Amino acid sequence: MGSRPYRRRLAWGAAALLAAGVAVPAAYAAPDSGDASGQGAPAALSAGHGAKKAKNVILLIGDGMGDSEITLARDYTVGAAGRLNMDKFPLTGSYTTYSVDKNGKPDYVTDSAASGTGWATGQKTVNGRISKTPGTDKPMTTILELAQRNGLATGSVTTAELTDATPAVLASHATDRSCAGPADMKACPSDTVAKGGPGSIAEQSVNHKVDVLLGGGKARFDQKITEGRFKGGTVTQQAERLGYQVVTDDKGLKNARPGKPVLGLFADGNVPVEWTGKAAAQGGTEPQRCVTSNPERKAGTPSLDDQTRKALQLLEAKQKGSKKGFFLQVEGASIDKRDHAADPCGQIGETAALDRAVKVARAYAAAHPDTLVITTADHAHTSQIVPLEATPPGLSSTLVTNEGGRLKVNYSTNTPGKAQEHTGTQVRIAAQGPQAERVLGVTDQTQLFTTIRSALTLR
């Protein structure tokens, strides 16, 4: 008799999760995870988490932030026995990240375009494609577009160019990720305005009127538009005509006011990283401490946590008095970029920067318990912590950690002189708040779309 209420709650939770899901073509869908909810979390469901609705969702993405990258940042900054802010979520699982070929068959190592498309649309696609189908190159509705249709405020914050793959998947549809600005459309002829397409990623992003867009990529937005309604002006001017407040430094960001959308462009390209140090080398490096500054980072460049804090203020202010909340994505992009460059200090500094943004998000959720906070990665990457006596065939570096120990990190996914590569391993996903239990177990990247859609009850 004591088990009947539990069974009723579990059955209700599973039915609710299934009802909130979206149909995914069989060729692109991830396999089922086990139980009827697809999440394998009966204990959490029985505790009542499945019945809750989120008003807000904050999704934090560490680009290339696999378990090795998290462990490296933890060991260096807070010690092997310490814990980062991202380690403190109450519920943690893993998800798979593979992409597909044009026939829907698995491609075991994804890039950021295909992986971002996975959680943005709930469907798999080919590497290099932005929120379009793998075989027919058709646009797929994104979670940000659904949020807008349902009256939510929306935001995207990144340390990359705003036209880079991870922010692009939310507010654009492109045949190839390289089609960033009006002058970059060679790989996307059918997406051009002249062919009846939506234009470049930069043009689409501002046309979507996302409430908060913060990151780098000013040079893309300063390109001239050669076709359509805004012909003759730059994408930045297009944004201004559409009502955007355009800001370029922390002072401008602080002065931005709710009521009009905000476009923050804090670097011509990617935002320069916070930390510097010697790159890994063949045969290793002398033990080094990372330098927690970067002369290439201009004074007045807002930190990722400050951008996150301001984005939350603007989104909350826009929705004041409304029952509708917001969806915000925050990306620590250069964990991946410094991993490609075998630069452990740059990589660790960017992981630490994202971790501070996680702290901001969790503090917001503590004051607003109807907020679902999720942190994860788009894919895993190359860095590995190896024994000090190891002699890796590739590149390696020895670091002196904050607790005084020595740590050797190895980069050997490509031959020296070439960029290091992504890996195909599953990555961490952790969450707190309404329906956070859906991240438990081993899921797939595409199920993150359904988790967010269900938590926000988007139709």
Side-chain angles (χ1 to χ4, degrees):
M1 209 171 149
S3 66
R4 289 177 185 169
Y6 166 83
R7 288 174 179 166
R8 283 198 297 269
R9 284 193 296 269
L10 178 56
W12 181 91
L17 298 182
L18 286 170
V22 293
V24 178
Y28 315 146
D32 185 75
S33 295
D35 69 348
S37 70
Q39 303 299 313
L45 285 172
S46 70
H49 294 291
K52 296 179 182 177
K53 175 185 181 297
K55 182 177 181 180
N56 315 303
V57 169
I58 307 170
L59 173 61
L60 300 113
I61 303 292
D63 198 311
M65 191 180 71
D67 281 343
S68 290
E69 286 70 29
I70 294 172
T71 306
L72 180 60
R74 181 194 303 120
D75 285 351
Y76 186 91
T77 60
V78 297
R83 292 294 178 264
L84 300 168
N85 293 297
M86 66 181 73
D87 293 326
K88 298 174 183 176
F89 283 91
L91 298 171
T92 301
S94 299
Y95 70 24
T96 51
T97 65
Y98 64 94
S99 55
V100 294
D101 65 19
K102 64 181 181 179
N103 298 312
K105 299 295 184 182
D107 186 342
Y108 299 107
V109 182
T110 190
D111 80 330
S112 295
S115 60
T117 296
W119 75 73
T121 70
Q123 299 186 42
K124 300 280 186 184
T125 196
V126 297
N127 286 343
R129 193 157 292 175
I130 301 291
S131 295
K132 281 189 164 190
T133 56
T136 54
D137 195 32
K138 300 296 183 184
M140 299 185 288
T141 302
T142 74
I143 195 71
L144 183 141
E145 290 169 334
L146 279 177
Q148 288 182 320
R149 291 178 194 176
N150 282 263
L152 276 72
T154 56
S156 179
V157 178
T158 182
T159 56
E161 298 183 36
L162 277 164
T163 54
D164 204 14
T166 302
V169 299
L170 295 176
S172 66
H173 305 272
T175 301
D176 191 88
R177 61 184 290 176
S178 66
C179 301
D184 306 318
M185 296 298 288
K186 184 177 180 181
C188 304
S190 64
D191 293 334
T192 61
V193 174
K195 294 285 187 178
S200 67
I201 292 167
E203 294 168 90
Q204 292 185 61
S205 296
V206 296
N207 275 335
H208 265 82
K209 291 195 174 180
V210 182
D211 296 293
V212 180
L213 288 169
L214 305 177
K218 185 176 184 295
R220 308 286 189 183
F221 287 81
D222 285 346
Q223 290 180 10
K224 282 285 183 71
I225 300 169
T226 58
E227 304 161 343
R229 173 186 170 194
F230 299 101
K231 180 179 178 179
T234 65
V235 184
T236 304
Q237 290 169 334
Q238 171 190 343
E240 290 171 336
R241 286 180 62 183
L242 291 170
Y244 274 88
Q245 306 169 74
V246 179
V247 300
T248 57
D249 57 20
D250 56 0
K251 183 178 179 181
L253 183 61
K254 287 174 184 174
N255 291 333
R257 295 290 176 260
K260 293 171 62 178
V262 177
L263 173 62
L265 298 169
F266 305 120
D268 284 342
N270 299 315
V271 178
V273 299
E274 294 195 0
W275 290 17
T276 54
K278 294 178 182 177
Q282 272 190 287
T285 63
E286 291 297 316
Q288 64 169 320
R289 290 281 292 160
C290 296
V291 179
T292 56
S293 63
N294 182 1
E296 295 182 5
R297 189 178 174 93
K298 292 190 301 185
T301 302
S303 64
L304 185 59
D305 55 306
D306 282 344
Q307 291 181 59
T308 302
R309 193 175 290 108
K310 183 65 175 184
L312 291 170
Q313 292 171 357
L314 291 168
L315 295 173
E316 183 178 25
K318 186 191 177 187
Q319 299 301 85
K320 188 175 181 180
S322 170
K323 292 183 180 179
K324 301 287 187 178
F326 61 78
F327 167 74
L328 173 64
Q329 178 174 288
V330 178
E331 182 198 20
S334 289
I335 303 166
D336 168 90
K337 297 179 192 310
R338 302 325 300 164
D339 221 331
H340 279 301
D343 171 14
C345 288
Q347 175 188 319
I348 293 168
E350 293 307 287
T351 310
L354 178 66
D355 197 54
R356 293 193 300 273
V358 170
K359 184 177 182 180
V360 170
R362 296 194 71 220
Y364 183 88
H368 304 82
D370 53 0
T371 300
L372 171 63
V373 182
I374 303 169
T375 187
T376 188
D378 52 353
H379 54 74
H381 221 303
T382 188
S383 61
Q384 290 286 329
I385 300 166
V386 297
L388 291 172
E389 63 271 18
T391 55
L395 309 173
S396 63
S397 178
T398 300
L399 305 175
V400 180
T401 70
N402 284 355
E403 58 185 352
R406 291 190 178 187
L407 178 156
K408 179 177 278 191
V409 56
N410 168 48
Y411 298 85
S412 293
T413 53
N414 214 337
T415 53
K418 294 183 179 180
Q420 298 301 308
E421 300 286 358
H422 301 172
T423 64
T425 59
Q426 64 193 36
V427 297
R428 176 196 296 193
I429 179 169
Q432 67 178 70
Q435 300 199 28
E437 73 283 349
R438 296 177 66 108
V439 309
L440 294 173
V442 178
T443 57
D444 183 76
Q445 205 155 50
T446 53
Q447 290 171 274
L448 177 52
F449 170 87
T450 310
T451 293
I452 297 171
R453 184 175 187 175
S454 174
L456 293 170
T457 60
L458 302 179
R459 302 291 180 232

